Amino acid sequence: MATLNVIRRWALREQMSIREISRRTGLARNTVKKYLRSDETEPTYAKRISPSKLDPYAEKLATWLGIEATKSRKQRRNLKQIYTPGRPIDREGHVAGDGACSEFAASALMGSMSTYIA
């Protein structure tokens, strides 16, 4: 993050006060002090991991994609054709969006490609 470099440059080279740095950056004075005292070059944030709506149905979708992969090119359907919006995936009435389905298909494709690469 370039903000830390700017804060350090203003404080060390240009001898700017912490209050002035906080005014220019929009950060709190305590945050500016914390950045100046720390040795870190960039703040690290924990990556948010949220479960997908399709996690309970991942096995079923993977088998569907596997079956479609064995068909000839002209007979093959993609996941959007298998799953049409408005039609539930199963009898329980679960409906997932196109984005979730395409993300699942991409991750499944990358997983199958890694078996060929490795």
Side-chain angles (χ1 to χ4, degrees):
M1 180 187 283
T3 308
L4 291 176
N5 294 331
V6 170
I7 289 172
R8 287 197 178 108
R9 183 172 6 109
W10 284 344
L12 301 175
R13 288 186 191 166
E14 298 178 15
Q15 301 296 317
M16 198 177 291
S17 68
I18 292 175
R19 181 174 285 175
E20 181 62 26
I21 294 172
S22 67
R23 263 193 225 122
R24 289 188 182 188
T25 59
L27 298 172
R29 287 180 295 173
N30 292 338
T31 307
V32 173
K33 285 181 195 176
K34 180 179 79 170
Y35 285 161
L36 289 173
R37 289 182 189 146
S38 71
D39 291 334
E40 67 180 274
T41 56
E42 293 184 18
T44 55
Y45 303 104
K47 186 174 180 179
R48 188 177 124 194
I49 300 172
S50 57
S52 172
K53 278 184 165 182
L54 295 177
D55 284 346
Y57 307 97
E59 190 174 324
K60 184 185 290 187
L61 291 173
T63 56
W64 285 354
L65 287 173
I67 291 169
E68 292 296 321
T70 60
K71 293 182 180 179
S72 66
R73 184 180 62 85
K74 293 206 174 194
Q75 299 297 321
R76 201 176 299 158
R77 297 179 298 165
N78 60 17
L79 194 61
K80 280 189 180 180
Q81 291 168 340
I82 294 170
Y83 165 74
T84 58
R87 187 187 78 183
I89 287 180
D90 60 1
R91 293 183 182 145
E92 287 86 31
H94 173 77
V95 177
D98 287 340
C101 286
S102 60
E103 282 181 27
F104 176 81
S107 67
L109 177 67
M110 294 307 285
S112 66
M113 287 177 66
S114 66
T115 58
Y116 293 121
I117 293 171

